[in-house]
Amino acid sequence: MTERQKLYLAGPLFSDGEKEFNRKLRDALEQFFDVYLPQEDGGLIVNMVQSGIASTVAEKFVFNKDVEELQVCDVFLIVLDGRSVDEGAAVELGIAYALRKKCVGLQTDPRRLLPFGNNPMVSGALDVVFGSVQELIDSLSV
């Protein structure tokens, strides 16, 4: 039996809506991949600080855990929704690209900070950008 590929799911994870979108996307992708979802599998700094962990310790833990998971993933998926790309997800994309991972995007939101599209440093790192969750799932179902 072959081992399932690992997918790293990056995107904004601060509002209730963002976290719920990420969970639903993870659930949809789990039929194809073992999914690493940083907000649940790596931890949230705000929760760590509220539990009494120093912010500098929490930041280092999250950074190290996410880099560790980026090193072992096969596919990196970044949610590009919002007026601009989440800065943490953009850093994760850069790391995944430098590690030569397959990098794909999901952009269900038409807003862009730049009038001509996404920052070329983001779009240049991506193999493909899907316009809907269904389009992404359909591409995996073939």
Side-chain angles (χ1 to χ4, degrees), residues 24-128:
K24 287 181 179 179
L25 182 55
R26 180 221 32 223
D27 293 349
L29 292 169
E30 282 186 324
Q31 63 185 305
F32 306 102
F33 300 99
D34 289 333
V35 179
Y36 176 77
L37 182 59
Q39 73 192 44
E40 295 184 2
D41 302 321
L44 294 174
I45 291 173
V46 67
N47 295 344
M48 292 178 196
V49 170
Q50 287 174 350
S51 73
I53 298 172
S55 62
T56 55
V57 172
E59 290 170 4
K60 196 66 164 167
F61 174 83
V62 168
F63 179 82
N64 289 334
K65 176 66 174 162
D66 290 354
V67 169
E68 177 184 302
E69 292 297 328
L70 286 164
Q71 291 171 336
V72 298
C73 78
D74 300 293
V75 179
F76 176 84
L77 171 64
I78 183 171
V79 176
L80 301 165
D81 289 350
R83 191 166 159 266
S84 64
V85 177
D86 177 81
E87 61 268 14
V91 170
E92 292 164 331
L93 172 61
I95 293 169
Y97 180 81
L99 291 170
R100 302 197 185 285
K101 305 298 179 171
K102 178 178 177 72
C103 297
V104 299
L106 174 64
Q107 190 151 28
T108 67
D109 183 345
R111 295 176 292 168
R112 307 288 191 284
L113 186 59
L114 301 173
F116 53 83
N118 290 315
N119 184 306
M121 293 304 292
V122 170
S123 59
L126 296 170
D127 296 314
V128 63

